[in-house]
Amino acid sequence: METQVKYMWVVVFVVSMSIAGLNGVEATHDYYGPCGKHDIEKEAQKLSPCTYAAKYWRAPVSERCCAIIEKKLSNPGCLCAIL
């Protein structure tokens, strides 16, 4: 009888840890946003060199702005979230 109780506790422990582990793995895909581990507000602040050119269509666009936009275009979901 004592062996059955120990076996039952081992089974309960293994099942509960399996359920907890599966829930943790399943839930991690929602943890990160469209910009991955990066905060959307911080990513938006990186676009600050482009604000003048975005506001005034005749303003010259800096090379730094173009480099930032090229980098953001590699992840369109993040760019959409920022905008």
Side-chain angles (χ1 to χ4, degrees), residues 3 14 35 41 54 62 66 75 81:
T3 307
V14 169
C35 295
E41 290 180 22
S62 67
C66 290
N75 187 354

Side-chain angles (χ1 to χ4, degrees), residues 19-63:
I19 291 171
L22 289 175
N23 284 339
V25 169
E26 184 178 321
T28 55
H29 71 87
D30 291 331
Y31 179 71
Y32 300 122
C35 295
K37 294 181 181 181
H38 305 286
D39 184 29
I40 294 175
E41 290 180 22
K42 288 182 181 178
E43 292 297 312
Q45 290 174 354
K46 290 179 184 177
L47 293 173
S48 64
C50 304
T51 54
Y52 189 75
K55 193 172 183 180
Y56 303 103
W57 65 276
R58 288 188 175 183
V61 180
S62 67
E63 289 182 31

